[in-house]
Amino acid sequence: FLQPHYAAQARLVHSLGMDYLLHSCGDVWDIIPDLIDLGFDLLNLEQPLLFSTPERNGIDRLADAFGGRVCFCTNVDSQRTLIHGTPAQVVAEAEHIVRALNRPDGGLILLADCGQDQRIVPLPNIAAMAATFWRLAHGTSYAQGVASTPSPT
């Protein structure tokens, strides 16, 4: 039902020189190929562990099946690790996301604010996720990066 409308929107967005993105919660695994074929350039999937199977981690499944075909925009799993994990588990998952999904032929956009506005995520977990993403993106800690940024004059 929605496919012709999404395809028309994708053509319009692309004709304007922009990328077409979709945010979706829930298990959309079976329709990800269709979404890519319809012209979505970026998929904002904030629960990557939802795609896990007993044999494979969801992050690895996304990377193997769709890496290089679409840009992913994600954070540490917003319904599992981010809410219920420890800061150390958040760091480990953040590093895993970057290792698995950061590809020059697809791309990765990191989110580090998920759950902050709902006040359901422990602040130490948000801080751990943000600091890890910053470190992996910039090769330095956030504090070091801010300290080395020149002040506007």
Side-chain angles (χ1 to χ4, degrees):
F1 172 75
L2 294 176
Q3 287 181 338
H5 303 289
Y6 281 148
Q9 286 179 346
R11 285 190 300 275
L12 173 63
V13 169
H14 290 150
S15 76
L16 298 171
M18 296 185 288
D19 291 326
Y20 191 41
L21 66 93
L22 176 76
H23 166 83
S24 182
C25 292
D27 186 357
V28 296
W29 181 265
D30 291 339
I31 65 169
I32 290 175
D34 295 328
L35 296 172
I36 294 169
D37 290 343
L38 287 169
F40 285 98
D41 303 295
L42 183 145
L43 297 178
N44 174 218
L45 308 171
E46 297 184 15
Q47 303 145 342
L49 295 182
L50 185 63
F51 306 116
S52 296
T53 66
E55 300 80 29
R56 299 286 319 263
N57 179 289
I59 297 164
D60 294 325
R61 283 186 74 209
L62 285 169
D64 292 346
F66 308 112
R69 295 182 58 201
V70 67
C71 179
F72 291 101
C73 180
T74 193
N75 41 249
V76 170
D77 194 286
S78 63
Q79 291 189 350
R80 291 164 185 77
T81 314
L82 205 53
I83 295 174
H84 304 293
T86 65
Q89 291 168 323
V90 168
V91 168
E93 188 173 315
E95 291 173 341
H96 184 185
I97 287 168
V98 172
R99 277 194 315 275
L101 297 175
N102 187 28
R103 300 171 54 146
D105 56 348
L108 174 63
I109 296 174
L110 302 168
L111 297 176
D113 64 346
C114 184
Q116 188 172 9
D117 53 341
Q118 293 98 357
R119 297 189 178 150
I120 57 174
V121 177
L123 288 178
N125 286 359
I126 293 174
M129 178 175 57
T132 303
F133 285 160
W134 180 276
R135 174 177 51 82
L136 295 171
H138 300 284
T140 183
S141 74
Y142 178 74
Q144 290 170 326
V146 170
S148 66
T149 303
S151 302
T153 53

